[in-house]
Amino acid sequence: MSYVVEVKNVTKYYTRRLGPFSKETICAVEDLTLAVEPGDIFALLGPNGAGKTTTLNIIAGLLPPSSGEVNIFGHRLDNQDRDFYQRIGFLSEENYLPDYISLIELLQFLTRIFNFSLKFSRQRIDWVVEHLKLKDLLKKRIRDLSSGQKRIAGLSCALLNDPDLLILDEPTVYLDPLVVKDLVEIINNFKIQTKTVIISSHILSQVEKLCNRLAILKAGRIKFYGPSRSLSEKGTLEDVFIGLVS
C-alpha cells in the first residue's frame, strides 16, 4: 500500500518554563502511529489538549517530532528533498496572515513562492475566487477583514496550489453556514479526485458525514483508529466520542 501519510511511533515533548530556575516537560503526543491513504477524508478528533494540532503541525512539517518517523508521499520529513511540500495545502488553527497587504496581493505573492507560470497563477486565483466567493474581498487589506473573512482568506491560501494533501485544523471556526456548505463541496470533490484531506474539527456531525476514516485522541494517545463505519453499530459518532474521552 502506498500511503499519502505515514506516522510511525511519533512522540512529541514540549518544555515549559515555570520560573527562572524551574521547568517541566509535557508530552503532547505519545507513540502515535497511523496511516492515511489516497482519497481518504481522515478526521483527527479529540478534546482540547489531546494533541490534534501538534500532530497536524508535525505532519505539515512545521514541528519536528521528538522521536518517531513521518513519511509524506513516501518521503521522510527529515529528508533534504522538500519538493513534495508543494503538494500540501495547510490551514492552521490560528490565522497567520500578513495583515498589511490585500488578499489579492497575498495570493499573487504565494503564486510566486510556488513558482507558478503566469497562466496557472491566473487559473488558480480565479478558481479560489469562484469557489470561495472572494470577489468582494480581493482588494481589502487582511487587517480589515472580519474573523470569518480571514478564515476564508486562509482557506484560499491552503487551496491555491491545488494540493494533493489538504490539512485543515478547525476549518469551520468563524465561518457562516453558506461558506461551510462550499467547503464541504470542495472536500467531497477532493475525494472524487482521489486526493486526501486530513481534518480536525469539534463539529462531530459534519465529520460523521464527511470522513471515511478517523482517529480519536485523548491525552496524546490514540483511543480509536479505523474506518468510521465501524463505529456505526455503537451509536452516533458523538456518543462514541464522549464514551472514549470522558
PDB file of all heavy atoms in Angstrom, residues 10 14 23 30 43 47 61 68 94 96 105-106 112 117 121 123 138 148 155 179 187 192 213 215 221 225 232 235 245:
ATOM      1  N   VAL A  10       5.377   8.182  16.712  1.00  0.00           N
ATOM      2  CA  VAL A  10       5.778   9.570  16.921  1.00  0.00           C
ATOM      3  C   VAL A  10       5.427  10.025  18.341  1.00  0.00           C
ATOM      4  O   VAL A  10       4.309   9.838  18.816  1.00  0.00           O
ATOM      5  CB  VAL A  10       5.118  10.500  15.887  1.00  0.00           C
ATOM      6  CG1 VAL A  10       5.170  11.959  16.336  1.00  0.00           C
ATOM      7  CG2 VAL A  10       5.816  10.353  14.543  1.00  0.00           C
ATOM      8  N   TYR A  14       7.192  18.906  24.806  1.00  0.00           N
ATOM      9  CA  TYR A  14       7.429  20.338  24.932  1.00  0.00           C
ATOM     10  C   TYR A  14       8.047  20.606  26.300  1.00  0.00           C
ATOM     11  O   TYR A  14       7.712  19.934  27.286  1.00  0.00           O
ATOM     12  CB  TYR A  14       6.131  21.137  24.835  1.00  0.00           C
ATOM     13  CG  TYR A  14       5.466  21.134  23.488  1.00  0.00           C
ATOM     14  CD1 TYR A  14       4.322  20.378  23.261  1.00  0.00           C
ATOM     15  CD2 TYR A  14       5.965  21.907  22.449  1.00  0.00           C
ATOM     16  CE1 TYR A  14       3.701  20.384  22.016  1.00  0.00           C
ATOM     17  CE2 TYR A  14       5.346  21.916  21.208  1.00  0.00           C
ATOM     18  CZ  TYR A  14       4.215  21.155  21.008  1.00  0.00           C
ATOM     19  OH  TYR A  14       3.596  21.172  19.789  1.00  0.00           O
ATOM     20  N   LYS A  23      11.456  24.182  35.269  1.00  0.00           N
ATOM     21  CA  LYS A  23      10.729  23.920  34.036  1.00  0.00           C
ATOM     22  C   LYS A  23      10.103  22.536  34.130  1.00  0.00           C
ATOM     23  O   LYS A  23      10.458  21.732  35.002  1.00  0.00           O
ATOM     24  CB  LYS A  23      11.651  24.011  32.823  1.00  0.00           C
ATOM     25  CG  LYS A  23      12.821  23.044  32.841  1.00  0.00           C
ATOM     26  CD  LYS A  23      13.742  23.278  31.660  1.00  0.00           C
ATOM     27  CE  LYS A  23      14.922  22.297  31.691  1.00  0.00           C
ATOM     28  NZ  LYS A  23      15.838  22.498  30.551  1.00  0.00           N
ATOM     29  N   GLU A  30       2.087  10.832  22.211  1.00  0.00           N
ATOM     30  CA  GLU A  30       2.887   9.712  22.703  1.00  0.00           C
ATOM     31  C   GLU A  30       2.695   8.471  21.826  1.00  0.00           C
ATOM     32  O   GLU A  30       1.586   7.951  21.705  1.00  0.00           O
ATOM     33  CB  GLU A  30       2.497   9.382  24.146  1.00  0.00           C
ATOM     34  CG  GLU A  30       3.361   8.301  24.777  1.00  0.00           C
ATOM     35  CD  GLU A  30       3.021   8.071  26.244  1.00  0.00           C
ATOM     36  OE1 GLU A  30       2.110   8.754  26.760  1.00  0.00           O
ATOM     37  OE2 GLU A  30       3.658   7.211  26.860  1.00  0.00           O
ATOM     38  N   ALA A  43     -10.356  12.102   9.646  1.00  0.00           N
ATOM     39  CA  ALA A  43     -10.611  13.026  10.750  1.00  0.00           C
ATOM     40  C   ALA A  43      -9.703  12.706  11.931  1.00  0.00           C
ATOM     41  O   ALA A  43      -9.532  11.543  12.293  1.00  0.00           O
ATOM     42  CB  ALA A  43     -12.071  12.939  11.187  1.00  0.00           C
ATOM     43  N   PRO A  47     -10.640  15.886  22.526  1.00  0.00           N
ATOM     44  CA  PRO A  47     -10.942  17.092  23.294  1.00  0.00           C
ATOM     45  C   PRO A  47      -9.779  18.074  23.221  1.00  0.00           C
ATOM     46  O   PRO A  47      -8.702  17.758  22.702  1.00  0.00           O
ATOM     47  CB  PRO A  47     -11.139  16.556  24.721  1.00  0.00           C
ATOM     48  CG  PRO A  47     -10.311  15.309  24.761  1.00  0.00           C
ATOM     49  CD  PRO A  47     -10.396  14.713  23.376  1.00  0.00           C
ATOM     50  N   GLY A  61       5.026  19.388   8.611  1.00  0.00           N
ATOM     51  CA  GLY A  61       6.444  19.726   8.601  1.00  0.00           C
ATOM     52  C   GLY A  61       6.788  20.984   9.360  1.00  0.00           C
ATOM     53  O   GLY A  61       7.911  21.482   9.284  1.00  0.00           O
ATOM     54  N   GLY A  68      10.411   9.117  16.526  1.00  0.00           N
ATOM     55  CA  GLY A  68       9.499   8.528  15.555  1.00  0.00           C
ATOM     56  C   GLY A  68       9.785   9.019  14.150  1.00  0.00           C
ATOM     57  O   GLY A  68      10.739   9.766  13.898  1.00  0.00           O
ATOM     58  N   GLU A  94      -4.860  28.834  13.954  1.00  0.00           N
ATOM     59  CA  GLU A  94      -4.807  30.288  14.055  1.00  0.00           C
ATOM     60  C   GLU A  94      -4.513  30.877  12.688  1.00  0.00           C
ATOM     61  O   GLU A  94      -3.876  30.255  11.844  1.00  0.00           O
ATOM     62  CB  GLU A  94      -3.712  30.710  15.045  1.00  0.00           C
ATOM     63  CG  GLU A  94      -3.882  30.131  16.444  1.00  0.00           C
ATOM     64  CD  GLU A  94      -5.088  30.680  17.165  1.00  0.00           C
ATOM     65  OE1 GLU A  94      -5.523  31.803  16.820  1.00  0.00           O
ATOM     66  OE2 GLU A  94      -5.601  30.000  18.068  1.00  0.00           O
ATOM     67  N   TYR A  96      -2.386  33.038  10.531  1.00  0.00           N
ATOM     68  CA  TYR A  96      -1.077  33.681  10.471  1.00  0.00           C
ATOM     69  C   TYR A  96      -0.912  34.311   9.094  1.00  0.00           C
ATOM     70  O   TYR A  96      -0.169  33.827   8.257  1.00  0.00           O
ATOM     71  CB  TYR A  96       0.029  32.661  10.742  1.00  0.00           C
ATOM     72  CG  TYR A  96      -0.041  32.022  12.106  1.00  0.00           C
ATOM     73  CD1 TYR A  96      -0.404  30.696  12.247  1.00  0.00           C
ATOM     74  CD2 TYR A  96       0.262  32.754  13.245  1.00  0.00           C
ATOM     75  CE1 TYR A  96      -0.472  30.102  13.499  1.00  0.00           C
ATOM     76  CE2 TYR A  96       0.201  32.166  14.509  1.00  0.00           C
ATOM     77  CZ  TYR A  96      -0.162  30.839  14.624  1.00  0.00           C
ATOM     78  OH  TYR A  96      -0.229  30.264  15.861  1.00  0.00           O
ATOM     79  N   GLU A 105      -3.011  40.656  -3.277  1.00  0.00           N
ATOM     80  CA  GLU A 105      -1.543  40.732  -3.203  1.00  0.00           C
ATOM     81  C   GLU A 105      -0.970  39.492  -2.526  1.00  0.00           C
ATOM     82  O   GLU A 105       0.074  38.968  -2.944  1.00  0.00           O
ATOM     83  CB  GLU A 105      -1.125  41.993  -2.448  1.00  0.00           C
ATOM     84  CG  GLU A 105      -1.383  43.280  -3.216  1.00  0.00           C
ATOM     85  CD  GLU A 105      -1.156  44.528  -2.375  1.00  0.00           C
ATOM     86  OE1 GLU A 105      -1.300  44.449  -1.127  1.00  0.00           O
ATOM     87  OE2 GLU A 105      -0.853  45.581  -2.952  1.00  0.00           O
ATOM     88  N   LEU A 106      -1.653  38.995  -1.498  1.00  0.00           N
ATOM     89  CA  LEU A 106      -1.203  37.790  -0.817  1.00  0.00           C
ATOM     90  C   LEU A 106      -1.248  36.591  -1.756  1.00  0.00           C
ATOM     91  O   LEU A 106      -0.294  35.807  -1.833  1.00  0.00           O
ATOM     92  CB  LEU A 106      -2.075  37.537   0.419  1.00  0.00           C
ATOM     93  CG  LEU A 106      -1.811  36.242   1.186  1.00  0.00           C
ATOM     94  CD1 LEU A 106      -0.364  36.179   1.675  1.00  0.00           C
ATOM     95  CD2 LEU A 106      -2.785  36.099   2.349  1.00  0.00           C
ATOM     96  N   ARG A 112       4.003  33.243  -6.698  1.00  0.00           N
ATOM     97  CA  ARG A 112       5.432  33.398  -6.994  1.00  0.00           C
ATOM     98  C   ARG A 112       6.271  32.481  -6.116  1.00  0.00           C
ATOM     99  O   ARG A 112       7.283  31.927  -6.566  1.00  0.00           O
ATOM    100  CB  ARG A 112       5.849  34.868  -6.828  1.00  0.00           C
ATOM    101  CG  ARG A 112       5.243  35.794  -7.882  1.00  0.00           C
ATOM    102  CD  ARG A 112       5.912  37.141  -7.909  1.00  0.00           C
ATOM    103  NE  ARG A 112       5.578  37.952  -6.730  1.00  0.00           N
ATOM    104  CZ  ARG A 112       4.514  38.738  -6.642  1.00  0.00           C
ATOM    105  NH1 ARG A 112       3.677  38.835  -7.669  1.00  0.00           N
ATOM    106  NH2 ARG A 112       4.295  39.439  -5.551  1.00  0.00           N
ATOM    107  N   SER A 117       3.525  29.327 -13.320  1.00  0.00           N
ATOM    108  CA  SER A 117       3.519  30.120 -14.539  1.00  0.00           C
ATOM    109  C   SER A 117       2.431  31.185 -14.428  1.00  0.00           C
ATOM    110  O   SER A 117       1.501  31.062 -13.616  1.00  0.00           O
ATOM    111  CB  SER A 117       3.255  29.237 -15.755  1.00  0.00           C
ATOM    112  OG  SER A 117       1.917  28.749 -15.726  1.00  0.00           O
ATOM    113  N   SER A 121      -1.076  30.680 -12.527  1.00  0.00           N
ATOM    114  CA  SER A 121      -1.375  31.584 -11.412  1.00  0.00           C
ATOM    115  C   SER A 121      -2.766  32.178 -11.564  1.00  0.00           C
ATOM    116  O   SER A 121      -3.553  32.204 -10.613  1.00  0.00           O
ATOM    117  CB  SER A 121      -0.336  32.703 -11.347  1.00  0.00           C
ATOM    118  OG  SER A 121       0.952  32.204 -11.102  1.00  0.00           O
ATOM    119  N   GLN A 123      -5.232  30.969 -13.328  1.00  0.00           N
ATOM    120  CA  GLN A 123      -6.235  29.901 -13.214  1.00  0.00           C
ATOM    121  C   GLN A 123      -6.537  29.586 -11.761  1.00  0.00           C
ATOM    122  O   GLN A 123      -7.703  29.441 -11.370  1.00  0.00           O
ATOM    123  CB  GLN A 123      -5.731  28.645 -13.931  1.00  0.00           C
ATOM    124  CG  GLN A 123      -5.731  28.734 -15.443  1.00  0.00           C
ATOM    125  CD  GLN A 123      -5.122  27.506 -16.098  1.00  0.00           C
ATOM    126  OE1 GLN A 123      -4.489  26.671 -15.429  1.00  0.00           O
ATOM    127  NE2 GLN A 123      -5.294  27.378 -17.402  1.00  0.00           N
ATOM    128  N   LEU A 138     -11.075  40.801  -2.427  1.00  0.00           N
ATOM    129  CA  LEU A 138      -9.735  40.765  -3.006  1.00  0.00           C
ATOM    130  C   LEU A 138      -8.922  42.026  -2.740  1.00  0.00           C
ATOM    131  O   LEU A 138      -7.715  41.941  -2.482  1.00  0.00           O
ATOM    132  CB  LEU A 138      -9.825  40.517  -4.510  1.00  0.00           C
ATOM    133  CG  LEU A 138     -10.203  39.093  -4.933  1.00  0.00           C
ATOM    134  CD1 LEU A 138     -10.343  39.023  -6.450  1.00  0.00           C
ATOM    135  CD2 LEU A 138      -9.165  38.098  -4.446  1.00  0.00           C
ATOM    136  N   GLY A 148     -14.334  35.832  10.225  1.00  0.00           N
ATOM    137  CA  GLY A 148     -14.774  34.835   9.252  1.00  0.00           C
ATOM    138  C   GLY A 148     -14.116  35.030   7.898  1.00  0.00           C
ATOM    139  O   GLY A 148     -13.731  34.062   7.231  1.00  0.00           O
ATOM    140  N   LEU A 155      -8.211  29.770   3.957  1.00  0.00           N
ATOM    141  CA  LEU A 155      -8.603  28.641   3.122  1.00  0.00           C
ATOM    142  C   LEU A 155      -8.155  28.836   1.670  1.00  0.00           C
ATOM    143  O   LEU A 155      -7.694  27.894   1.014  1.00  0.00           O
ATOM    144  CB  LEU A 155     -10.124  28.464   3.163  1.00  0.00           C
ATOM    145  CG  LEU A 155     -10.704  27.664   4.323  1.00  0.00           C
ATOM    146  CD1 LEU A 155     -12.220  27.816   4.368  1.00  0.00           C
ATOM    147  CD2 LEU A 155     -10.325  26.195   4.201  1.00  0.00           C
ATOM    148  N   VAL A 179     -20.659  29.350   3.712  1.00  0.00           N
ATOM    149  CA  VAL A 179     -19.260  29.057   3.408  1.00  0.00           C
ATOM    150  C   VAL A 179     -18.934  27.614   3.781  1.00  0.00           C
ATOM    151  O   VAL A 179     -18.197  26.919   3.068  1.00  0.00           O
ATOM    152  CB  VAL A 179     -18.322  30.033   4.144  1.00  0.00           C
ATOM    153  CG1 VAL A 179     -16.865  29.716   3.822  1.00  0.00           C
ATOM    154  CG2 VAL A 179     -18.639  31.473   3.750  1.00  0.00           C
ATOM    155  N   ILE A 187     -14.337  19.605  -0.274  1.00  0.00           N
ATOM    156  CA  ILE A 187     -13.758  18.405   0.333  1.00  0.00           C
ATOM    157  C   ILE A 187     -14.278  17.148  -0.356  1.00  0.00           C
ATOM    158  O   ILE A 187     -13.507  16.218  -0.637  1.00  0.00           O
ATOM    159  CB  ILE A 187     -14.062  18.373   1.846  1.00  0.00           C
ATOM    160  CG1 ILE A 187     -13.286  19.485   2.555  1.00  0.00           C
ATOM    161  CG2 ILE A 187     -13.709  17.015   2.448  1.00  0.00           C
ATOM    162  CD1 ILE A 187     -13.636  19.638   4.020  1.00  0.00           C
ATOM    163  N   ILE A 192     -13.428  12.611  -4.729  1.00  0.00           N
ATOM    164  CA  ILE A 192     -13.707  12.152  -6.092  1.00  0.00           C
ATOM    165  C   ILE A 192     -12.426  12.109  -6.922  1.00  0.00           C
ATOM    166  O   ILE A 192     -12.220  11.202  -7.738  1.00  0.00           O
ATOM    167  CB  ILE A 192     -14.760  13.066  -6.752  1.00  0.00           C
ATOM    168  CG1 ILE A 192     -16.121  12.899  -6.052  1.00  0.00           C
ATOM    169  CG2 ILE A 192     -14.897  12.764  -8.237  1.00  0.00           C
ATOM    170  CD1 ILE A 192     -17.159  13.917  -6.477  1.00  0.00           C
ATOM    171  N   ARG A 213     -12.511   7.637   7.429  1.00  0.00           N
ATOM    172  CA  ARG A 213     -11.633   7.047   8.438  1.00  0.00           C
ATOM    173  C   ARG A 213     -11.296   8.117   9.456  1.00  0.00           C
ATOM    174  O   ARG A 213     -11.294   9.321   9.145  1.00  0.00           O
ATOM    175  CB  ARG A 213     -10.355   6.479   7.804  1.00  0.00           C
ATOM    176  CG  ARG A 213     -10.637   5.357   6.825  1.00  0.00           C
ATOM    177  CD  ARG A 213      -9.390   4.826   6.122  1.00  0.00           C
ATOM    178  NE  ARG A 213      -8.513   4.143   7.058  1.00  0.00           N
ATOM    179  CZ  ARG A 213      -7.264   4.508   7.337  1.00  0.00           C
ATOM    180  NH1 ARG A 213      -6.735   5.564   6.768  1.00  0.00           N
ATOM    181  NH2 ARG A 213      -6.542   3.816   8.183  1.00  0.00           N
ATOM    182  N   ALA A 215      -9.280   8.994  13.616  1.00  0.00           N
ATOM    183  CA  ALA A 215      -8.579   8.634  14.842  1.00  0.00           C
ATOM    184  C   ALA A 215      -9.081   9.557  15.942  1.00  0.00           C
ATOM    185  O   ALA A 215      -9.282  10.760  15.709  1.00  0.00           O
ATOM    186  CB  ALA A 215      -7.070   8.775  14.676  1.00  0.00           C
ATOM    187  N   ARG A 221      -2.677  10.128  23.116  1.00  0.00           N
ATOM    188  CA  ARG A 221      -2.652   8.717  22.717  1.00  0.00           C
ATOM    189  C   ARG A 221      -3.937   8.374  21.964  1.00  0.00           C
ATOM    190  O   ARG A 221      -5.004   8.945  22.219  1.00  0.00           O
ATOM    191  CB  ARG A 221      -2.501   7.796  23.929  1.00  0.00           C
ATOM    192  CG  ARG A 221      -1.187   7.979  24.670  1.00  0.00           C
ATOM    193  CD  ARG A 221      -1.040   6.959  25.783  1.00  0.00           C
ATOM    194  NE  ARG A 221      -0.919   5.603  25.232  1.00  0.00           N
ATOM    195  CZ  ARG A 221       0.249   5.039  24.930  1.00  0.00           C
ATOM    196  NH1 ARG A 221       1.384   5.687  25.113  1.00  0.00           N
ATOM    197  NH2 ARG A 221       0.286   3.807  24.449  1.00  0.00           N
ATOM    198  N   TYR A 225      -8.906   4.101  16.167  1.00  0.00           N
ATOM    199  CA  TYR A 225      -8.314   4.371  14.860  1.00  0.00           C
ATOM    200  C   TYR A 225      -8.876   3.351  13.875  1.00  0.00           C
ATOM    201  O   TYR A 225      -8.759   2.145  14.091  1.00  0.00           O
ATOM    202  CB  TYR A 225      -6.790   4.266  14.943  1.00  0.00           C
ATOM    203  CG  TYR A 225      -6.074   4.190  13.610  1.00  0.00           C
ATOM    204  CD1 TYR A 225      -6.198   5.208  12.671  1.00  0.00           C
ATOM    205  CD2 TYR A 225      -5.265   3.098  13.295  1.00  0.00           C
ATOM    206  CE1 TYR A 225      -5.534   5.142  11.461  1.00  0.00           C
ATOM    207  CE2 TYR A 225      -4.590   3.026  12.087  1.00  0.00           C
ATOM    208  CZ  TYR A 225      -4.728   4.052  11.177  1.00  0.00           C
ATOM    209  OH  TYR A 225      -4.075   3.983   9.968  1.00  0.00           O
ATOM    210  N   SER A 232     -20.554   2.771  13.520  1.00  0.00           N
ATOM    211  CA  SER A 232     -21.985   2.991  13.327  1.00  0.00           C
ATOM    212  C   SER A 232     -22.838   2.078  14.193  1.00  0.00           C
ATOM    213  O   SER A 232     -23.933   2.462  14.630  1.00  0.00           O
ATOM    214  CB  SER A 232     -22.355   2.820  11.848  1.00  0.00           C
ATOM    215  OG  SER A 232     -22.012   1.517  11.397  1.00  0.00           O
ATOM    216  N   GLY A 235     -23.465   3.445  17.889  1.00  0.00           N
ATOM    217  CA  GLY A 235     -24.189   4.686  18.110  1.00  0.00           C
ATOM    218  C   GLY A 235     -23.641   5.790  17.236  1.00  0.00           C
ATOM    219  O   GLY A 235     -22.872   5.552  16.306  1.00  0.00           O
ATOM    220  N   VAL A 245     -13.529   9.523  25.491  1.00  0.00           N
ATOM    221  CA  VAL A 245     -12.665  10.581  26.026  1.00  0.00           C
ATOM    222  C   VAL A 245     -13.128  11.142  27.366  1.00  0.00           C
ATOM    223  O   VAL A 245     -12.393  11.914  27.986  1.00  0.00           O
ATOM    224  CB  VAL A 245     -12.503  11.746  25.014  1.00  0.00           C
ATOM    225  CG1 VAL A 245     -12.003  11.234  23.673  1.00  0.00           C
ATOM    226  CG2 VAL A 245     -13.804  12.529  24.841  1.00  0.00           C
TER     227      VAL A 245
END
